């Protein structure tokens, strides 16, 4: 178990108990897709193709801040699109808050952007999917890796302690595991998260790619690189790739059958898109296929369980809209629901030890 997952498990258990006891007053964290706009044209993302792109209104953002302050929320993650393209991004960074604020971005800050505004961030993560300029340009649509992005990452370390890199594995970069971990170590990057791509059959890794990744990760562990990056998911990635190769449906081995239980992330966390729509998690909120017109059918298994059946969609992932309701009301109306779908079953986040909170440390069910 890597350090990120271990910390997650230890932290989530008290919240699950608090929800059961009725002592928690709102979500502890939010993931906000601040804007649909992005200057990149990534081969794995359709945001840049989205019609009628929007920015989340500043008035709603201020209301979210107030509600999270009042309910003792702990953190908000800003992403997009690219959150730094929101017209009020500078003002958002200045808003008073009692919670931690983090940003996931491309690194394409404008020339006149004052990097000192980042000083108050808890963490800042950059999406970097290759360290080869030509390959980076092919994946992300801009040829500015070493003229813009890498220098920005290095500069950001002067303002934010927890600078991280998100790296999405696909066909074009499957051989770069050692390179990106070595880069993280040499530049003292605080966090490195490497996730296999999903949703694009032409770019997703196959069994031979997974074997390649396994060999690279074993070299990484031999060199002890993983011990030099404070937060990383490399051990979990290795287990996932080994399961993939063994045809175990990417399911992390556990002390219980994880498929019997729906994901519980919506009980403590919600995601909001640029339209103000609220979803159980960012994987669903950021599903540009679903948000661009595909619909999903819904099946009520019982009063507390909703199963989404693919591939026929009715967009019932949406559990509320901040243009019509308050954040806390939406959370109160939906945190007892349990969401499940084929998409959820294939989600890598679902198989992290956060699910082990169902059983706690003593092997007993805490909350379902």
């Amino acid at each position: 178990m890597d350090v990120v997952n271990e910390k997650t498990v230890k932290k989530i258990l008290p919240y699950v108990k608090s929800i059961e006891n009725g002592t928690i007053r709102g979500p502890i964290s939010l993931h906000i897709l601040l804007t649909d706009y992005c200057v990149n044209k990534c081969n794995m993302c359709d945001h840049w193709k989205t019609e009628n792109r929007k920015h989340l209104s500043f008035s709603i953002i201020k209301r979210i801040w107030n509600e999270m302050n009042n309910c003792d929320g702990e953190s908000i993650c800003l992403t997009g699109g690219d959150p730094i393209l929101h017209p009020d991004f500078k003002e958002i960074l200045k808003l008073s808050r009692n919670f931690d604020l983090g940003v996931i971005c491309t690194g394409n800050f404008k020339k006149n952007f004052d990097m000192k505004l980042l000083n108050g961030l808890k963490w800042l993560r950059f999406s970097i999917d290759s360290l080869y300029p030509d390959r980076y340009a092919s994946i992300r649509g801009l040829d500015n890796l070493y003229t813009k992005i890498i220098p920005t990452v290095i500069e950001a370390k002067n303002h934010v302690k927890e600078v991280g890199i998100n790296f999405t594995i696909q066909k074009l970069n499957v051989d770069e595991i050692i390179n990106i971990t070595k880069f993280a170590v040499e530049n003292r990057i605080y966090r490195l998260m490497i996730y296999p791509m999903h949703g694009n059959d032409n770019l997703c890794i196959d069994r031979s790619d997974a074997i390649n990744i396994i060999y690279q990760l074993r070299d990484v562990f031999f060199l002890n690189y993983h011990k030099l990056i404070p937060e990383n998911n490399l051990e979990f990635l290795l287990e996932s790739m080994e399961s993939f190769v063994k045809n175990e449906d990417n399911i992390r081995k556990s002390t219980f059958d994880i498929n019997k239980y729906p994901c519980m992330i919506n009980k403590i966390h919600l995601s909001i898109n640029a339209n103000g729509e609220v979803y159980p998690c960012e994987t669903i909120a950021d599903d540009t296929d679903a948000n661009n017109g595909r619909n999903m059918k819904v099946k009520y298994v019982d009063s507390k369980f909703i199963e989404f059946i693919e591939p026929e969609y009715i967009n019932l992932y949406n559990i509320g809209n901040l243009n019509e309701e308050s954040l806390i009301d939406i959370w109160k109306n939906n945190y007892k629901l349990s969401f499940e779908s084929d998409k959820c079953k294939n989600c890598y986040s679902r198989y992290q030890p956060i699910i082990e909170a169902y059983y706690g440390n003593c092997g007993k069910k805490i909350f379902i």
Side-chain angles (χ1 to χ4, degrees):
M1 181 185 297
D2 65 56
V3 64
V4 174
N5 293 331
E6 184 175 2
K7 287 167 57 179
T8 301
V9 172
K10 290 180 178 179
K11 184 172 183 177
I12 195 175
L13 287 172
Y15 288 111
V16 176
K17 294 176 182 178
S18 296
I19 293 171
E20 185 180 46
N21 296 331
T23 57
I24 191 170
R25 298 191 296 151
I28 64 170
S29 64
L30 299 176
H31 187 103
I32 303 177
L33 284 72
L34 207 57
T35 177
D36 292 321
Y37 288 82
C38 185
V39 297
N40 287 94
K41 295 182 178 180
C42 299
N43 65 355
M44 81 293 280
C45 176
D46 285 338
H47 267 295
W48 58 278
K49 300 177 184 178
T50 302
E51 297 181 0
N52 301 317
R53 288 178 290 180
K54 295 183 179 181
H55 303 293
L56 185 63
S57 75
F58 191 47
S59 61
I60 287 181
I61 293 168
K62 290 190 289 186
R63 178 151 49 86
I64 292 171
W65 257 235
N66 289 334
E67 291 191 74
M68 286 293 279
N69 283 334
N70 292 334
C71 77
D72 300 321
E74 293 202 359
S75 67
I76 290 181
C77 168
L78 300 180
T79 182
D82 193 342
I84 63 180
L85 296 182
H86 193 286
D88 297 304
F89 182 66
K90 293 179 181 179
E91 298 306 313
I92 293 170
L93 295 178
K94 297 176 184 178
L95 289 175
S96 176
R97 59 182 183 269
N98 300 328
F99 50 83
D100 292 334
L101 184 65
V103 173
I104 300 175
C105 68
T106 64
N108 288 296
F109 289 94
K110 295 181 180 179
K111 289 183 179 180
N112 62 349
F113 183 82
D114 183 2
M115 296 292 282
K116 293 180 181 179
L117 289 172
L118 303 176
N119 287 351
L121 291 179
K122 173 65 174 177
W123 49 263
L124 177 63
R125 298 172 196 159
F126 295 87
S127 298
I128 299 177
D129 301 315
S130 179
L131 291 176
Y132 298 112
D134 292 346
R135 188 180 291 180
Y136 178 89
S138 296
I139 294 174
R140 303 197 66 85
L142 287 180
D143 186 12
N144 64 350
L145 177 63
Y146 287 100
T147 59
K148 176 70 175 180
I149 305 304
I150 297 301
T152 300
V153 173
I154 303 305
E155 167 63 15
K157 288 171 57 7
N158 295 323
H159 304 280
V160 184
K161 176 184 177 182
E162 297 184 15
V163 170
I165 291 175
N166 291 343
F167 189 94
T168 304
I169 308 172
Q170 57 169 277
K171 287 288 186 183
L172 295 181
N173 62 9
V174 74
D175 59 342
E176 291 196 54
I177 303 298
I178 295 175
N179 283 355
I180 194 64
T181 53
K182 183 178 179 181
F183 175 86
V185 170
E186 291 177 345
N187 291 280
R188 297 184 179 181
I189 299 300
Y190 187 87
R191 177 184 172 100
L192 175 64
M193 301 299 285
I194 303 178
Y195 294 111
M197 186 181 170
H198 70 278
N200 187 319
D201 293 339
N202 294 324
L203 297 174
C204 289
I205 62 172
D206 57 25
R207 189 174 185 276
S208 64
D209 296 324
I211 293 172
N212 185 345
I213 293 170
I214 289 170
Y215 281 119
Q216 291 182 74
L217 285 171
R218 288 175 179 171
D219 286 343
V220 166
F221 296 142
F222 176 77
L223 296 169
N224 285 323
Y225 281 166
H226 62 303
K227 294 182 179 179
L228 300 176
I229 305 172
E231 290 192 354
N232 68 84
N233 70 336
L234 298 178
E235 291 185 19
F236 171 68
L237 179 64
L238 178 60
E239 291 181 13
S240 298
M241 294 298 99
E242 289 175 340
S243 294
F244 184 80
V245 171
K246 293 176 183 178
N247 296 316
E248 295 180 0
D249 299 323
N250 302 330
I251 297 174
R252 178 184 173 86
K253 291 183 179 179
S254 183
T255 57
F256 60 97
D257 183 0
I258 199 169
N259 274 320
K260 292 181 179 179
Y261 303 99
C263 184
M264 61 184 294
I265 190 66
N266 67 298
K267 303 183 189 311
I268 60 169
H269 173 88
L270 291 174
S271 185
I272 301 162
N273 71 10
N275 294 319
E277 296 167 341
V278 183
Y279 295 84
C281 74
E282 51 268 25
T283 301
I284 293 175
D286 200 26
D287 183 350
T288 49
D289 287 334
N291 292 331
N292 284 335
R294 297 174 64 194
N295 290 323
M296 176 167 264
K297 285 186 176 179
V298 63
K299 173 184 177 183
Y300 287 86
V301 177
D302 58 43
S303 61
K304 291 185 178 181
F305 186 85
I306 294 180
E307 181 177 5
F308 295 109
I309 306 168
E310 299 182 274
E312 294 179 283
Y313 290 81
I314 300 171
N315 198 7
L316 291 175
Y317 283 129
N318 185 338
I319 59 175
N321 194 307
L322 292 176
N323 290 292
E324 303 167 358
E325 302 175 81
S326 72
L327 173 69
I328 301 303
D329 285 343
I330 292 172
W331 179 81
K332 287 181 178 179
N333 291 334
N334 291 279
Y335 79 85
K336 291 185 179 180
L337 292 176
S338 298
F339 295 85
E340 186 61 284
S341 73
D342 288 341
K343 181 183 295 294
C344 298
K345 292 176 181 178
N346 291 322
C347 176
Y348 278 88
S349 297
R350 172 179 165 79
Y351 298 109
Q352 294 185 41
I354 188 172
I355 303 300
E356 293 175 14
Y358 275 119
Y359 279 80
N361 296 322
C362 58
K364 295 181 180 179
K365 297 179 183 178
I366 294 176
F367 185 87
I368 293 180

